[in-house]
Amino acid sequence: MNLKFKKIIAVLVGTFVLTLQARSQEFTHAEKEVIQHFITTIQTENWAELSTMVHYPLRRLYPLPDVKNEEDFLERFDELFDTPFLELIAESVIDSAWAEVGWRGTMFNNGKLWLDTDGKLIRLNYQTEVEKTQQNELIEADRATLPISLRNYEYPVLSFDTDDLHVRIDKLNDGNYRYMSWIISSKLIDVNAYTISENGILENHGSGGNHSYSFTVDDLTFVIPIHVMAAESSPPAEILIYQGENLLLTEAAVWLKN
């Protein structure tokens, strides 16, 4: 990653920390009422009500499918929540377990769960053992779809499309990340059709889930920011291609699964 981009990330992370420290203990009465309503819904086990308090689709870790709607939420409830996590929410003290983080929303338990200003669930970073098992099964099914030479990875991280490219990132067994991209109209099985790099690193930016991957390909640096908590006008992901400190290309994702 080039120096200029690192400086930008450092400023953003610093701003995030200062915002969190300033706002974590400053809930208004109205904000506490919104959070308490969510807690009470958990305490009373009113899952039908809870299903209406979710911003859909609720994203799940790749390659798990997102939660599409209220019916899907109720059908998959035991996959999304387990007793220990529900008890943690039900017994939580607002001033110590919850924190408002500016426009990103209100987080619980250091980012395991996020609400918007209306008290709707917008992000669930917690994962039950049931969902972890399902995720592993889907990973093995995904592995079988790739050419044998590309099956040497620990798990798939994400997949997205720009107007021209399909992009895939995998976590490798050695701890690095692998980047692959190919023209949407071509086939992955054609070894000449895709760009590949196996030297990627992950950088996390705050507890809201925003993060980025960076890779080198010859004299180019590919930076892939993933915008989990961002303005509605922001794309879910982007490809930024640098040569030294010069930004050569930016392509926004039009679809993302991670």
Side-chain angles (χ1 to χ4, degrees), residues 58-66 76 123 127 131-132 134-143 145-146 153-160 166-171 180 182 213 255-258:
L58 181 65
R59 290 172 58 186
R60 307 310 301 140
L61 287 176
Y62 185 79
L64 291 163
D66 292 339
R76 297 169 60 182
R123 185 74 176 173
Q127 193 173 35
E131 197 178 57
K132 288 177 183 177
Q134 293 177 336
Q135 184 182 18
N136 289 334
E137 292 172 350
L138 290 172
I139 287 171
E140 293 311 308
D142 172 83
R143 196 188 310 275
T145 67
L146 294 177
Y153 63 91
E154 185 176 351
Y155 57 84
V157 174
L158 61 83
S159 178
F160 69 84
H166 184 78
V167 175
R168 175 185 174 117
I169 296 177
D170 299 311
K171 177 72 176 294
M180 293 189 292
W182 59 97
Y213 302 88
W255 170 86
L256 168 71
K257 186 68 186 83
N258 72 324

Side-chain angles (χ1 to χ4, degrees), residues 53-116:
M53 300 165 59
V54 180
H55 188 277
Y56 297 105
L58 181 65
R59 290 172 58 186
R60 307 310 301 140
L61 287 176
Y62 185 79
L64 291 163
D66 292 339
V67 181
K68 301 185 295 293
N69 50 39
E70 294 177 20
E71 182 180 3
D72 195 22
F73 179 87
L74 291 172
E75 288 180 357
R76 297 169 60 182
F77 182 81
D78 291 336
E79 303 168 16
L80 301 170
F81 296 91
D82 56 22
T83 299
F85 191 57
L86 290 171
E87 289 179 347
L88 198 63
I89 299 171
E91 297 169 4
S92 65
V93 177
I94 293 176
D95 287 333
S96 58
W98 297 78
E100 185 182 354
V101 192
W103 57 266
R104 295 174 178 85
T106 301
M107 72 175 183
F108 169 70
N109 195 226
N110 294 318
K112 290 293 192 303
L113 179 151
W114 288 78
L115 305 180
D116 66 11

